[in-house]
Amino acid sequence: MSNNLILRTDSYKSSQWKQYVNNASYLYSYFESRGGVYPTTIQFGLQYYIKKYLLNPITVQDVIQTDAFMRAHGVDFNMSGWMYIADKLKGNVPIKIESVREGSNVPVSNLLMSIENTDPNCMWVVNWLETLLVKTWYPITVATQSFYLKKRILDSLKKTADDPASEIDFKLHSFGYRGASSEETAGIGGAAELTCFKGTDTIAGALTILDYYSRKMHSNESYYDYYKECMPGFSINASEHSTITSWGRENEEAAYRNMLKQFGRPGTVFACVSDSYNIYNAISNLWGGSLKEDVIKSGATLVIRPDSGEPLEIVPKCLHLMEEKFGSTINSKGYKVLNHVRLIQGDGVNPTSIDEILTKINKEGFSTTNIAFGMGGASLQGSKVNTINRDTQKFAFKASAVNVDGQIKDVYKDPITDNGKRSKRGRLDLICKDGKYETVSFDTAKCFNENSALVTVYKNGTLYGSDSIDEIRSRIETELYK
């Protein structure tokens, strides 16, 4: 049943084919962000939903199964309509989806996607698919958050680092796998993060990129060669509390020495969580004391990870202790860069705390080169401070035009109780002229055809075009450095 596309909808939509205006043969709907935390959104994730759910033809068995389910479930079902699709249309859902290219950065209150039926017998199928397609709010929101975090960190690097472009891709690392609500959530959200950053411990996200946004593996190609070329995200060897505390408190130094022995090779980077007992003692008397010469001789970069306490207090204090023990140099921007060691903050990290931490450490003279962030729950699910849900960017999927008796008519809502929920009218287009987006009526758009930012991505069971992760990242980079 999980592979049955017909069942991927809200129960109440099953009877809606009986509710539309008489003699309607066409329905046009659109998807937009009506506003929210961020002034723009990064389009991402539609290709995943098309490839995973819309390319498998509807079968007669799917229709029979859904009919039985809906009758037992208590709602009416358009069995003849779906049988028409399964039989006459060979299972191909008769709709056309147009979308702005993935990776595009579009101001809110603009059209991101449109959907319309291509068969006059199936106008009711357009909003049947709302439930599935509106879920793109999630990868869009995660990608958008990642974009604005990257922008904030890059601004700090430009101010305080010698080579911002070489550092930025690995300044925010995904720690969100275990905090996600499901494997699919981790995969979709983790993939969205990888549109902006390349550091991740969320393997599900890398796999989603490989499956839906990368080329297929050649038949004569080894797994390693394929992954080496196409790998979208990278990680480093790192400890967790269980591996350190397994040695016992009395052997904390031995646990750290083992990390050096196993991973401290010239040119490598490895991370060690160091707050199992006393983070300040670990920095001052172990890493920066009895182990200091071994750290230096290893030729590796040690990344120390505090994982408790108040980040705004802990991070600057740790940096000062690390500088005291390992020293620092002053870069071309006049900011301190630690020798041999770096810090990664992975606890209490969210958009608000990242901004506060960067502001404070830069004010205290430390370059952003010294720090990376690992964002867990706040990256894929949200936190007490910053939430990730459909209302973060106020996403809406609304019908805006219908054809009745051969005449196109506007469809819209305009609730007296909430002007913010007023919907757009008529058939629409998104044009981009001189780098500026504007949603216009379909009739007006005829004057701007060469400037339309929408492309057909799906029609009648076929995927049109495919955006690779490299193309998506390129579009985002263009916006980032604009």
Side-chain angles (χ1 to χ4, degrees):
M1 293 178 73
S2 62
N3 293 324
N4 187 340
L5 174 64
I6 311 175
L7 287 166
R8 293 188 176 276
T9 194
D10 295 306
S11 301
Y12 77 111
K13 287 187 178 292
S14 183
S15 66
Q16 289 180 355
W17 98 98
K18 291 183 174 182
Q19 303 172 29
Y20 288 107
V21 60
N22 294 333
N23 301 322
S25 60
Y26 170 84
L27 187 66
Y28 177 98
S29 293
Y30 70 93
F31 181 67
E32 70 170 337
S33 164
R34 293 184 295 206
V37 175
Y38 303 106
T40 65
T41 58
I42 298 292
Q43 176 73 340
F44 180 71
L46 178 59
Q47 183 171 295
Y48 166 85
Y49 280 96
I50 291 174
K51 286 185 173 181
K52 186 172 178 65
Y53 296 107
L54 292 180
L55 298 186
N56 298 318
I58 301 296
T59 67
V60 170
Q61 183 60 35
D62 288 337
V63 180
I64 293 172
Q65 180 190 51
T66 304
D67 177 63
F69 177 89
M70 293 300 187
R71 283 189 287 122
H73 191 48
V75 293
D76 288 4
F77 174 65
N78 188 3
M79 187 172 187
S80 63
W82 282 106
M83 276 297 187
Y84 173 81
I85 293 174
D87 183 22
K88 299 297 183 182
L89 303 183
K90 299 181 180 180
N92 296 317
V93 182
I95 61 168
K96 181 173 74 170
I97 302 174
E98 291 189 333
S99 170
V100 65
R101 301 303 295 265
E102 301 207 14
S104 299
N105 187 33
V106 182
V108 298
S109 299
N110 276 299
L111 179 71
L112 294 174
M113 168 177 60
S114 68
I115 176 172
E116 57 194 306
N117 60 294
T118 59
D119 188 308
N121 297 307
C122 301
M123 60 80 64
W124 48 268
V125 81
V126 172
N127 272 38
W128 186 288
L129 295 176
E130 173 189 3
T131 309
L132 181 69
L133 296 177
V134 81
K135 290 186 181 68
T136 57
W137 74 261
Y138 177 61
I140 292 173
T141 303
V142 175
T144 299
Q145 174 178 263
S146 296
F147 173 79
Y148 279 96
L149 285 172
K150 189 171 187 177
K151 187 175 178 63
R152 173 63 181 94
I153 298 170
L154 181 61
D155 287 344
S156 183
L157 283 170
K158 287 178 177 179
K159 175 184 175 182
T160 69
D162 286 337
D163 189 5
S166 70
E167 296 186 40
I168 185 60
D169 286 346
F170 293 93
K171 281 300 182 183
L172 185 61
H173 199 89
S174 174
F175 284 175
Y177 202 165
R178 72 190 62 185
S181 58
S182 68
E183 286 297 312
E184 188 172 31
T185 301
I188 297 171
E193 290 179 302
L194 286 170
T195 62
C196 293
F197 293 97
K198 295 182 179 179
T200 186
D201 268 27
T202 305
I203 289 177
L207 294 177
T208 297
I209 292 292
L210 290 170
D211 284 344
Y212 297 97
Y213 290 90
S214 298
R215 69 168 177 82
K216 298 300 181 184
M217 185 176 173
H218 302 314
S219 59
N220 62 345
E221 188 175 23
S222 72
Y223 283 118
Y224 179 76
D225 287 342
Y226 172 68
Y227 292 137
K228 183 68 174 177
E229 178 185 338
C230 298
M231 182 58 64
F234 305 87
S235 190
I236 61 173
N237 294 309
S239 68
E240 69 176 24
H241 288 103
S242 72
T243 63
I244 300 302
T245 59
S246 70
W247 292 73
R249 183 165 190 155
E250 68 280 9
N251 293 313
E252 183 182 6
E253 179 184 324
Y256 296 156
R257 191 178 297 279
N258 178 65
M259 290 292 292
L260 272 171
K261 177 182 176 182
Q262 300 295 336
F263 309 115
R265 297 180 291 275
T268 62
V269 179
F270 71 97
C272 188
V273 64
S274 302
D275 75 323
S276 297
Y277 310 109
N278 184 331
I279 182 66
Y280 307 126
N281 178 68
I283 293 173
S284 296
N285 298 320
L286 300 179
W287 290 122
S290 55
L291 297 173
K292 177 180 176 179
E293 292 306 313
D294 292 326
V295 170
I296 295 172
K297 290 178 181 178
S298 73
T301 298
L302 163 66
V303 182
I304 296 174
R305 177 162 73 95
D307 195 49
S308 55
E310 172 52 52
L312 199 56
E313 173 190 340
I314 302 300
V315 171
K317 187 171 182 178
C318 287
L319 290 177
H320 282 291
L321 290 176
M322 293 160 71
E323 181 193 19
E324 180 182 313
K325 294 299 179 178
F326 289 95
S328 66
T329 58
I330 304 298
N331 67 15
S332 64
K333 303 289 180 64
Y335 286 83
K336 295 182 286 188
V337 178
L338 298 172
N339 300 324
H340 312 294
V341 290
R342 297 288 185 267
L343 183 146
I344 184 168
Q345 178 63 27
D347 179 57
V349 173
N350 56 60
T352 300
S353 65
I354 288 175
D355 177 65
E356 292 174 342
I357 290 169
L358 290 176
T359 299
K360 186 164 186 178
I361 67 171
N362 292 163
K363 186 176 181 179
E364 295 187 16
F366 288 100
S367 168
T368 302
T369 294
N370 297 297
I371 190 170
F373 297 95
M375 194 157 73
S379 65
L380 304 184
Q381 299 289 137
S383 66
K384 293 180 179 179
V385 180
N386 303 87
T387 60
I388 292 180
N389 55 51
R390 188 162 69 93
D391 287 330
T392 302
Q393 290 302 118
K394 301 179 182 178
F395 283 102
F397 185 108
K398 298 298 177 187
S400 59
V402 65
N403 187 317
V404 181
D405 293 326
Q407 183 179 357
I408 298 290
K409 297 182 178 181
D410 290 352
V411 174
Y412 63 96
K413 59 180 289 187
D414 189 8
I416 192 173
T417 51
D418 190 347
N419 290 338
K421 290 192 173 184
R422 180 187 296 125
S423 64
K424 292 177 169 56
R425 307 182 183 194
R427 291 178 296 174
L428 307 166
D429 194 6
L430 179 70
I431 62 171
C432 186
K433 192 172 183 180
D434 299 327
K436 296 181 179 180
Y437 288 99
E438 182 183 3
T439 298
V440 298
S441 71
F442 182 80
D443 292 333
T444 302
K446 291 178 181 177
C447 303
F448 301 99
N449 282 338
E450 73 278 8
N451 296 317
S452 179
L454 299 181
V455 295
T456 299
V457 294
Y458 175 90
K459 186 177 180 181
N460 300 339
T462 300
L463 174 71
Y464 286 80
S466 185
D467 285 315
S468 70
I469 184 61
D470 290 337
E471 291 169 329
I472 292 168
R473 283 172 169 170
S474 177
R475 293 184 188 113
I476 292 173
E477 287 293 297
T478 298
E479 289 295 314
L480 191 68
Y481 288 97
K482 184 180 290 184

